[in-house]
Amino acid sequence: MQVIIIGAGRGARLMPTTAETPKCFAEIGGKRILDWSLDAFRQNGIDDFCFIGGYKIEKVQADYPEFEFRHNADWPNNNILLSLFHAEDLMDQPFICCYSDILFTPDVVARVAANAEDISLAVDTDWLSRYEHRTEHPSDDAEKVTVKNGAVTRIHREIQESDAHGEYIGVAKFSAAGAGRLRDYYHQVREKNAGQPYREAAVFEKAYLIHMLQDMLETGERMVHVDTPGGYIEIDTQQDFEYARQHWS
Ligand SMILES: Nc1ccn([C@@H]2O[C@H](COP(=O)(O)OP(=O)(O)OP(=O)(O)O)[C@@H](O)[C@H]2O)c(=O)n1
Ligand SMILES: C[C@](O)(CO)[C@H](O)COP(=O)(O)O
């Protein structure tokens, strides 16, 4: 199974930790965030990594020569969706994509990898307990989902806490067919929206992956949720970093 790690961002909210290295090099429990992710995949026999880098990509290239790399050199002017599509050439097969600034257990990978649907999204159902203390990244910023009968019905930051089934953790699996539809849809929306506002993004280039996933849901695309009650922490702010250092091992 191909893994695509989306890691081109600046990590500005984690300064000064990210002054010289990318956010995924930040250490929790004596191990880089990136190494926690690699271990979660490797414990499931998955060892085929492509890293989409931008900010300080050279540091990742130096320390992980076993990776394939895609360079999102324009990272300051784009966002997660465009970043992911720097690895489009690898999307002719099933793949799992993940943000590079998250901690998740091998069990999350096992559940996502075992799911047979075309598009599956990993969702933390215990998300609210983490947000109690997350004042620097309020739950309004969380990429939440609503669900019905096993399927995702909406993926959006504006979902009310009480309506949310959980938080999309940034890990998603696409079968070869699901990946094909993702690529086709991307080309359609890019053709129509390049340089123009798209969903909640001021310009298409600044869109998040969840913007296009929501767009696809509205066309009737089926996505399922693979739940994890916790077993996940996202590191955006200094507060998140300290929380992870206290709670992750
Ligand atoms: N142009 C971008 C922006 C973000 N990302 C990646 O998308 C993931 C989630 O993004 P976010 O949490 O916003 O991280 P950063 O952009 O790195 O953080 P900050 O906003 O603090 O700079 C991260 O792994 C980040 O590297 C990316 O590949 N390309
Ligand atoms: C993608 C993200 O990390 C999920 O929590 C977060 O939403 C990014 O926030 P930003 O708006 O790009 O600062």
Side-chain angles (χ1 to χ4, degrees), residues 6-14 23 52 72 74-80 83-84 98-102 208 234-236:
I6 309 168
R10 171 65 182 83
R13 287 166 290 177
L14 208 62
K23 192 175 9 166
I52 300 166
N72 173 6
D74 201 29
W75 62 267
N77 301 311
N78 57 43
N79 208 338
I80 300 171
S83 201
L84 172 63
C98 71
Y99 300 158
S100 69
D101 60 350
I102 56 174
Y208 289 78
E234 174 189 41
I235 294 100
D236 278 336

Side-chain angles (χ1 to χ4, degrees), residues 1-64:
M1 173 78 69
Q2 177 70 53
V3 176
I4 301 176
I5 303 173
I6 309 168
R10 171 65 182 83
R13 287 166 290 177
L14 208 62
M15 279 290 282
T17 305
T18 54
E20 302 299 334
T21 50
K23 192 175 9 166
C24 60
F25 276 30
E27 283 194 10
I28 287 148
K31 203 155 99 178
R32 289 173 177 168
I33 297 170
L34 180 56
D35 290 330
W36 283 106
S37 304
L38 299 184
D39 286 355
F41 284 111
R42 286 181 175 140
Q43 284 186 38
N44 284 283
I46 299 172
D47 198 13
D48 200 356
F49 300 107
C50 170
F51 188 92
I52 300 166
Y55 176 67
K56 302 286 180 197
I57 188 176
E58 66 285 357
K59 299 271 165 96
V60 190
Q61 286 167 325
D63 287 5
Y64 299 87

Side-chain angles (χ1 to χ4, degrees), residues 3 12 18-19 22 28-29 31 60 66 71 82 95 104 108 117-118 123 127 147 152 166 185 199 211 224 226 236 239:
V3 176
T18 54
I28 287 148
K31 203 155 99 178
V60 190
E66 72 274 27
H71 191 183
L82 256 74
F95 73 91
F104 48 94
V108 171
E117 299 268 351
D118 282 343
V123 169
W127 70 292
V147 304
V152 175
Y185 203 76
R199 308 291 308 194
H211 291 153
V224 298
V226 175
D236 278 336
Q239 189 183 49

Side-chain angles (χ1 to χ4, degrees), residues 8 19 56 64 79 81 116 134 138 144 146 156 171 175 200 208 214 224 228 230:
K56 302 286 180 197
Y64 299 87
N79 208 338
L81 177 63
R134 217 178 165 196
K144 299 173 281 296
T146 56
H156 209 286
V171 176
S175 69
E200 290 75 35
Y208 289 78
Q214 173 60 27
V224 298
T228 174

